[in-house]
Amino acid sequence: MADYPVGRVIGVKVYQNDVVVVREEMGLPIGGARRAEVTEFSRASRRRLAFVASNSLVTFRTMLCLTYPRDFPSDGREVKRNLHAFLVWLQRDTGGCWYLWFLEFQKRGAPHVHILVDWPWPSSRTAQRDFRFRVAMQWYRVVGSGDSRHLAAGTSCERIRSKTGTARYAVKYASKMQQKWVPAGYRNVGRFWGCSRAVVPPVPETVQCTEDDIRGLLEGWEYAPDAKRLLYRVLYNQADRLRAWLNGTLDKSG
C-alpha cells in the first residue's frame, strides 16, 4: 500500500492500448529534495517510455542506430548536440518526420542511440542503399569521425515490420538494464530518451466510473490486483477490455 493518502477513484482515461486510473486530488506537497545527477535509466522513466511507445498515435516504420568510433565523447551534452544535429538533418532529408529515440551504452562505455521514425522504409533496394549511405555519411560528419571503418559500420537502418513492433521493442529496450547504467567517467548524461511532440499520446477525456466498476471489469484478468491492494495507476493493454465494457460487449471468461 502507498505511504501517502490517495483520493477515491473518479474515472479512467482510455488511451490507444492502456488505461490510466484517475483519482481525486489530495493536495499532496509539490517539490521535494533537489534532483540528483542522473546515474541510471530510472524505473519511472522506463515506464513513461513504454507508455508513450504503446499509446502514441504515430506509426513508426523505420529504425536507425547510431554508434561512435573508437574515440567517443564522455560528456552527455556533446552527445545530445550530435544527436540534435543529426535529427535536424534527418527531418530535412525525409521532408519532415516524427521520431522517438533511446540512449544506451555499449560494453566499451560508448553511447549508442536508437531512433524510430514514421518515415516509410524505401521500397526499392537502390533507394534503401542510398538512404543508408546518406545516414552513414551524415553521422560520420556530425561526430567528426575521420575513421573509414566507422563510416562503413557506424550506423544501421531497417524497416519496422509490424505496427505493434514499436511498443514491444521499447519495452524490451527498457528492460535491458545492463546497458542503462552510466559508465564511470561519463558525465551530464541527461535524458535517456526523447521524442517529437506529436509522438506524445493525446490525453483523452475522463470516463467517469468508480473503483468497484473498474475492479468488476478486471474480473478474469490474470494480473488484476486483489482487494487488499490499490488499483494500479496504469492498466496496461486493457483499453480494448474497457471499451468493450463501455459498449456492453465485455466477455470476462477470457
Side-chain angles (χ1 to χ4, degrees), residues 32-48:
R34 182 178 178 183
R35 185 174 182 179
E37 182 178 355
V38 175
T39 58
E40 65 173 318
F41 190 17
S42 71
R43 184 179 183 183
S45 185
R46 299 198 313 269
R47 285 178 171 177
R48 288 194 296 271

Side-chain angles (χ1 to χ4, degrees), residues 142-156:
V142 164
V143 303
S145 173
D147 185 343
S148 59
R149 292 171 297 181
H150 178 245
L151 176 61
T155 60
S156 66

Side-chain angles (χ1 to χ4, degrees), residues 202-215:
V203 180
E205 294 292 328
T206 298
V207 177
Q208 294 184 345
C209 60
T210 67
E211 180 167 341
D212 288 342
D213 290 333
I214 299 173
R215 289 187 182 276

Side-chain angles (χ1 to χ4, degrees), residues 45-151:
S45 185
R46 299 198 313 269
R47 285 178 171 177
R48 288 194 296 271
L49 167 61
F51 183 85
V52 168
S54 183
N55 294 286
S56 178
L57 300 184
V58 172
T59 299
F60 295 103
R61 297 178 174 88
T62 300
M63 181 171 68
L64 316 179
C65 295
L66 311 176
T67 61
Y68 278 89
R70 172 180 290 183
D71 296 326
F72 55 86
S74 58
D75 191 322
R77 290 172 182 158
E78 182 177 350
V79 172
K80 296 300 168 51
R81 284 195 295 269
N82 292 161
L83 177 59
H84 175 73
F86 180 84
L87 290 173
V88 169
W89 168 84
L90 181 64
Q91 289 183 307
R92 185 171 62 247
D93 184 82
T94 59
C97 66
W98 294 327
Y99 57 80
L100 172 65
W101 61 264
F102 329 125
L103 169 70
E104 62 185 13
F105 293 93
Q106 297 175 309
K107 290 182 179 180
R108 63 190 177 113
H112 179 75
V113 181
H114 299 267
I115 309 172
L116 308 179
V117 296
D118 70 326
W119 185 72
W121 182 244
S123 57
S124 74
R125 291 188 177 182
T126 299
Q128 293 169 12
R129 183 173 60 250
D130 289 347
F131 181 65
R132 286 191 173 105
F133 176 77
R134 296 197 306 274
V135 166
M137 181 58 70
Q138 182 60 25
W139 183 239
Y140 173 83
R141 290 170 176 166
V142 164
V143 303
S145 173
D147 185 343
S148 59
R149 292 171 297 181
H150 178 245
L151 176 61

Side-chain angles (χ1 to χ4, degrees), residues 9 29 153 187 198:
V9 172
R187 60 190 184 278

